[in-house]
Amino acid sequence: MKTSNPTNKKTKRPLILISNDDGVHATGIKILTEIAQKYGDVVVVAPSSGQSGKSHAITFANPLRIWQLRQDKHLQIYKTSGTPSDSVKMARHLVLKNKKIDLLLSGINHGSNTSASTLYSGTVGAALEGCLNQIPSIAFSIVNYKPTYDFQGASMVADKVIAIALDKGLPQKTCLNINIPNVPAEELKGYKITRQANNYWVEYLEERQSPNGQPYYWLDGALKEIDKGRDTDIWAIKHNYVSITPIYTDMTAYHALDELKKWKIK
């Protein structure tokens, strides 16, 4: 299969763009940056604060701002006032204007981005923004929410995947959604190429009262697991495999086209 943007390592250092949805100061993006510096020149453009659940949201009703935090020979770091997708746009149009980005990395995110959560993820949204613009893009997530998480296993996975992606390239119009199990590095069984599990969230709003008696709400819920396939991201994670799911931006339901054409709307 034809691949996109394979890097000729003999002629130049790859240009690697990094973003996330946990914010520019998150541990995961710092670790991902350290790993990426082994392979190329790195530019970090990420939200100034957490943007979890923002999916592919963009900002157009308010102004966007960007600040430089660091400038070295092979590393630049910026924070933005926007979403993960905004950050990628600002990287492309401002920071790296007219430069070819060889690889976009998003993460390493705290929390699973498997199954239906893929649709809500700002981490995945940043990767999809890259994919829309023909940039090979990869989202990394760990299935753990604790700030004290040991990133040894996730670091090992990211290191290996980045090296392969730069060497082989990615399939055209495709990005990777990678989820890493919440187990020590030595307990990882390997890697599985997976599909997105077809599950959904059962949600509810918990009502509470503010000190002045006004109601407010917390959104909560649980994932309803109806997809029992052994080829899914959920199955891989539960069995201590790293899940690698290829995703893309074409949301057409091709299986429904012929059925809908039978409506013969005039």
Side-chain angles (χ1 to χ4, degrees):
M1 180 181 291
K2 184 178 180 181
T3 58
S4 60
N5 287 359
T7 301
N8 185 344
K9 292 180 284 188
K10 294 182 179 180
T11 60
K12 70 180 183 70
R13 284 172 60 86
L15 177 57
I16 301 173
L17 172 63
I18 299 180
S19 194
N20 72 349
D21 74 357
D22 287 330
V24 71
H25 300 295
T27 301
I29 199 170
K30 292 178 181 177
I31 290 174
L32 191 57
T33 299
E34 291 174 3
I35 297 168
Q37 286 181 274
K38 295 166 51 179
Y39 297 99
D41 293 341
V42 176
V43 177
V44 176
V45 184
S48 60
S49 59
Q51 299 283 320
S52 295
K54 289 298 178 71
S55 187
H56 207 151
I58 59 173
T59 302
F60 54 84
N62 295 296
L64 289 167
R65 294 180 172 84
I66 187 168
W67 302 267
Q68 186 176 69
L69 302 180
R70 181 171 174 177
Q71 172 72 63
D72 296 332
K73 183 177 181 181
H74 298 297
L75 174 63
Q76 299 176 57
I77 300 177
Y78 297 81
K79 68 176 182 179
T80 77
S81 62
T83 67
S85 295
D86 289 331
S87 298
V88 174
K89 289 179 181 295
M90 297 185 86
R92 290 182 53 245
H93 294 293
L94 295 175
V95 180
L96 298 173
K97 188 175 182 180
N98 299 323
K99 292 185 179 179
K100 175 177 172 288
I101 301 169
D102 294 294
L103 185 64
L104 186 154
L105 307 174
S106 184
I108 302 170
N109 181 70
H110 268 291
S112 171
N113 280 318
T114 55
S115 188
S117 296
T118 305
L119 299 173
Y120 301 109
S121 168
T123 302
V124 174
L128 287 171
E129 179 64 27
C131 190
L132 273 174
N133 292 281
Q134 293 78 53
I135 303 169
S137 302
I138 305 172
F140 292 95
S141 302
I142 52 172
V143 187
N144 182 289
Y145 296 89
K146 296 180 179 179
T148 56
Y149 175 79
D150 179 1
F151 277 84
Q152 182 181 358
S155 298
M156 179 186 71
V157 170
D159 198 338
K160 184 174 294 187
V161 170
I162 292 169
I164 294 174
L166 286 171
D167 182 49
K168 303 290 187 181
L170 297 181
Q172 289 282 358
K173 300 181 181 179
T174 303
C175 59
L176 302 181
N177 181 25
I178 298 180
N179 283 271
I180 303 158
N182 182 27
V183 296
E186 61 271 15
E187 294 182 22
L188 291 173
K189 291 183 178 179
Y191 299 76
K192 294 286 186 181
I193 306 302
T194 58
R195 64 177 174 85
Q196 181 180 317
N198 186 19
N199 300 319
Y200 63 93
W201 282 90
V202 177
E203 300 169 330
Y204 63 90
L205 287 171
E206 180 182 337
E207 182 174 329
R208 300 182 183 180
Q209 296 289 326
S210 67
N212 63 1
Q214 297 298 313
Y216 67 94
Y217 303 88
W218 281 106
L219 177 64
D220 203 351
L223 188 67
K224 181 70 172 180
E225 297 186 26
I226 58 175
D227 189 337
K228 304 302 181 182
R230 295 168 60 90
D231 58 345
T232 70
D233 48 11
I234 294 285
W235 187 95
I237 290 298
K238 285 186 174 181
H239 292 82
N240 293 349
Y241 288 96
V242 175
S243 167
I244 303 178
T245 305
I247 58 177
Y248 69 145
T249 56
D250 183 352
M251 297 181 69
T252 305
Y254 290 98
H255 67 280
L257 289 175
D258 289 341
E259 181 65 24
L260 293 174
K261 288 175 182 177
K262 295 177 183 178
W263 288 13
K264 297 182 179 178
I265 300 174
K266 297 181 180 179

